[in-house]
Amino acid sequence: MQFHDKVSDLLICTVCLANPNVEVYQCHYGHLMCIGCFYRLLADARIKDEQARCPKCRVDMSRNSCVRNLVVELLLSELLTDCVYCSATMSRNRLDAHLKDCKSRPVSCVYSKVGCAWSGPQHASHQHTEQCEFQHRACRDIIAHIGKHDKKHDEEISKYRSVTNFMSNGKLFFTDIVLNPHRTDDFIPQLFYESSKFNIFGHYWLVRGRVQGDEHNFQRTLSLKLVLKERGVWR
């Protein structure tokens, strides 16, 4: 087990410091990165208009200079791991199949679509189903619950129809834009993006974007703003 732990500690992503579950890439000098972190580094560099570099050795990286390490992927698939539901120990390449049949995995009641809110381990579902009160509910109660689902469904359909109607408007214009990186003049410069001006409906506009969060934050968002720069005369 001590050897297993040492191997597990060695085969970690240099960015998120976790054992990758999917494809593994390496830089020119062999430092490992999971596919998510690898593409995130490339995207960050492109957003900042900089050269992507390995966080470990700082060697230049690109999509063409980095390759997958298939040996490491095979080794990782043989490492032992525990099921999050029943704590059974198995190799990582068997975990997905086990989770589908695990008796401790959480499931919902078979009558959940008609209102039952029960959820619990799979091994307790049969006993609950036999005692579930929803199997004896009157049709009027079931119809009332289905009515709530239909109302929610209709609200979602209404949103899609609104978007479809908007996109069907005959006065829509399409244009290609390129967001170029810029920095503010603040004491601590802030990165933002801005397109060139373009003419639509007789006015000049531009798109301005800002990334919320930094490269250490996995939950980043991109906000875009349409800015009217010059008013023209609509003909």
Side-chain angles (χ1 to χ4, degrees), residues 111-173:
Y111 299 109
S112 60
K113 293 185 177 180
V114 293
C116 181
W118 180 90
S119 64
Q122 194 274 338
H123 61 76
S125 62
H126 180 70
Q127 179 181 359
H128 166 77
T129 301
E130 292 182 340
Q131 302 173 353
C132 182
E133 62 179 27
F134 280 83
Q135 63 181 315
H136 304 297
R137 282 290 180 95
C139 289
R140 62 176 179 274
D141 296 331
I142 296 176
I143 291 174
H145 184 77
I146 293 177
K148 294 179 181 178
H149 279 276
D150 288 344
K151 182 179 179 181
K152 183 178 180 181
H153 177 263
D154 291 341
E155 291 175 352
E156 293 178 353
I157 291 297
S158 178
K159 294 178 182 178
Y160 286 118
R161 284 177 177 169
S162 297
V163 174
T164 302
N165 292 336
F166 175 77
M167 297 300 293
S168 301
N169 192 312
K171 293 184 177 181
L172 281 179
F173 282 81

Side-chain angles (χ1 to χ4, degrees), residues 52-89:
R53 291 183 173 83
C54 171
K56 192 78 171 180
C57 64
R58 308 305 297 170
V59 68
D60 289 353
M61 293 194 323
S62 69
R63 182 65 182 84
N64 295 326
S65 66
C66 296
V67 296
R68 284 179 63 181
N69 192 319
L70 300 180
V71 174
V72 170
E73 290 179 15
L74 289 173
L75 287 173
L76 284 168
S77 71
E78 294 296 335
L79 290 180
L80 298 179
T81 188
D82 295 333
C83 173
V84 295
Y85 303 126
C86 67
S87 301
T89 301

Side-chain angles (χ1 to χ4, degrees), residues 109-232:
C109 176
V110 296
Y111 299 109
S112 60
K113 293 185 177 180
V114 293
C116 181
W118 180 90
S119 64
Q122 194 274 338
H123 61 76
S125 62
H126 180 70
Q127 179 181 359
H128 166 77
T129 301
E130 292 182 340
Q131 302 173 353
C132 182
E133 62 179 27
F134 280 83
Q135 63 181 315
H136 304 297
R137 282 290 180 95
C139 289
R140 62 176 179 274
D141 296 331
I142 296 176
I143 291 174
H145 184 77
I146 293 177
K148 294 179 181 178
H149 279 276
D150 288 344
K151 182 179 179 181
K152 183 178 180 181
H153 177 263
D154 291 341
E155 291 175 352
E156 293 178 353
I157 291 297
S158 178
K159 294 178 182 178
Y160 286 118
R161 284 177 177 169
S162 297
V163 174
T164 302
N165 292 336
F166 175 77
M167 297 300 293
S168 301
N169 192 312
K171 293 184 177 181
L172 281 179
F173 282 81
F174 298 89
T175 185
D176 294 325
I177 62 172
V178 176
L179 293 175
N180 299 305
H182 300 277
R183 295 188 182 274
T184 64
D185 296 328
D186 301 334
F187 179 73
I188 301 179
Q190 301 294 319
L191 184 66
F192 71 96
Y193 305 89
E194 194 170 275
S195 71
S196 301
K197 290 190 297 184
F198 52 91
N199 188 300
I200 290 182
F201 293 120
H203 304 313
Y204 285 95
W205 310 76
L206 61 80
V207 174
R208 187 171 294 151
R210 188 180 297 273
V211 177
Q212 306 295 332
D214 54 35
E215 58 268 24
H216 303 294
N217 186 356
F218 286 91
Q219 301 296 326
R220 288 179 293 172
T221 58
L222 173 65
S223 60
L224 298 174
K225 181 187 295 184
L226 181 63
V227 181
L228 176 62
K229 293 298 292 184
E230 297 179 20
R231 292 186 177 275

